[in-house]
Amino acid sequence: MSVDLDAVACYYRIHALAGAPPEAARTAVLRRCLPRFAELFARHGVRATFFVVGQDLDDDAEGRRMLADLARGGHELASHTHTHPYDFVRLGRARIDDEIDRAHAAIAACAGTPPVGFRAPGYEIASDVIDALLARGYRYDSSVFPSATYYGAKALVMAAMRTVGRASGSVLGSPRVLLAPRHPYRPAAAAPYQRGSAAIVELPIAVTPVARLPVIGTSLILAPPWLRRQLVAAALRAPFFNLELHGIDLADADADGMPAALVARQPDLRRPLAHKLAALDDTLAAALAAGARFAPLAEAALAAERGPWA
Ligand SMILES: [Zn+2]
């Protein structure tokens, strides 16, 4: 289980909303959603990985305290860059290094141990990024999301936004991701969507076999229960199920002060919190019933290095 703690401002950039989020919404992901994940995971005995955006720790002592508590409780804090730029892989090596180093320092100070895992914004990876992670001794990357359904939907939405004169802050990455392995693998340093021998493990985000439907928080929350259970059962048949969630998945739009313009564009924000919690509770119970063992991604990467997956 991993949770990307993208702040509400990230969703403003994706949907090209003007201005900045109101104060309550600005800090809602760390202050309101994160405690709900902590309770959800405690109910099912889950130790998870939280992907932290470094700059969100700068001016939020309450968020820092909560994340430090989670790290002490056996959860992992990993890096999701310092400022979450959607064009991260295109920034050039110097700025890529800077994003990784600043996040690294902020997360290490918060967790008490340096991060060993990384996830790029927008599910895109490149050789520059793998090089930078290798140079810093990172154990794994988990940015690859090899889903044609997701890729196609994103391309359509971005094209539709362009035709009405709105430029999404998001970036459509290389279609090479569609052919990437579904299971943990050692990437080629020069072509990280392919198998190779780099001294790092790629942990792809879960998709179903064959059809490669996305099995992430958003799809589990929006799918009708029968489809959600099918998606989860399909993902549970693999030896490794890398379920990616987002902090905003457990937002309560009204209570957390989510702006109407954002709620209008994010269908998951229109689902009641109780519905979303039930979908995730049901998923974790199904995983336990299937004999799954939950581990932070750093431990999964270690197992992948030794085991048959890599
Ligand atoms: Zn993100």
Side-chain angles (χ1 to χ4, degrees):
M1 309 285 303
S2 63
V3 186
D4 299 358
L5 295 172
D6 303 21
V8 167
C10 294
Y11 298 91
Y12 266 53
R13 274 144 66 196
I14 290 177
H15 299 296
L17 295 176
E23 180 59 22
R26 189 181 71 83
T27 54
V29 167
L30 292 190
R31 296 191 186 177
R32 308 279 303 181
C33 305
L34 186 57
R36 294 175 190 138
F37 279 102
E39 286 171 22
L40 170 76
F41 292 154
R43 279 201 291 281
H44 298 274
V46 173
R47 287 182 306 122
T49 298
F50 292 93
F51 284 99
V52 178
V53 177
Q55 71 175 5
D56 294 343
L57 302 177
D58 286 350
D59 61 346
D60 188 350
E62 194 181 324
R64 270 202 309 272
R65 212 165 27 243
M66 246 179 304
L67 284 166
D69 280 350
L70 288 167
R72 267 193 300 276
H75 297 282
E76 176 192 5
L77 305 190
S79 172
H80 198 30
T81 71
H82 196 63
T83 66
H84 204 276
Y86 283 99
D87 57 352
F88 175 66
V89 304
R90 294 170 178 74
L91 292 178
R93 185 59 196 270
R95 287 179 65 196
I96 286 174
D97 284 357
D98 186 56
E99 281 283 337
I100 293 175
D101 286 337
R102 290 166 75 195
H104 189 94
I107 294 164
C110 176
T113 50
V116 298
F118 180 81
R119 178 169 288 154
Y123 307 113
E124 202 185 3
I125 196 69
S127 54
D128 270 356
V129 179
I130 295 294
D131 279 348
L133 297 176
L134 285 169
R136 288 158 180 79
Y138 274 62
R139 186 176 293 156
Y140 73 90
D141 174 73
S142 182
S143 307
V144 168
F145 184 30
S147 169
T149 323
Y150 169 80
Y151 190 89
K154 185 172 175 180
L156 271 174
V157 168
M158 288 177 68
M161 284 176 73
R162 271 196 303 277
T163 61
V164 294
R166 302 171 63 91
S168 171
S170 194
V171 170
L172 189 67
S174 163
R176 281 191 293 266
V177 67
L178 303 179
L179 298 174
R182 286 194 299 122
H183 302 302
Y185 65 100
R186 275 191 194 284
Y193 293 119
Q194 295 170 26
R195 287 178 198 280
S197 57
I200 191 167
V201 174
E202 176 61 41
L203 299 173
I205 292 165
V207 298
T208 63
V210 191
R212 296 194 168 209
L213 299 173
V215 190
I216 61 172
T218 326
S219 50
L220 300 184
I221 283 166
L222 294 176
W226 67 266
L227 177 59
R228 165 166 47 79
R229 293 191 179 114
Q230 294 278 321
L231 292 171
V232 170
L236 282 169
R237 282 195 282 274
F240 173 63
F241 175 7
N242 184 7
L243 175 51
E244 185 220 24
L245 307 167
H246 283 89
I248 205 167
D249 288 344
L250 288 185
D252 180 328
D254 290 336
D256 300 344
M258 293 295 162
L262 182 61
V263 175
R265 286 171 178 81
Q266 289 265 137
D268 47 291
L269 281 177
R270 300 196 288 276
R271 301 292 165 104
L273 175 60
H275 163 95
K276 298 189 278 197
L277 273 171
L280 296 184
D281 267 320
D282 196 32
T283 297
L284 293 179
L288 282 172
R293 197 171 59 82
F294 296 107
L297 293 183
E299 290 177 25
L302 210 57
E305 279 169 22
R306 296 194 198 110
W309 307 335

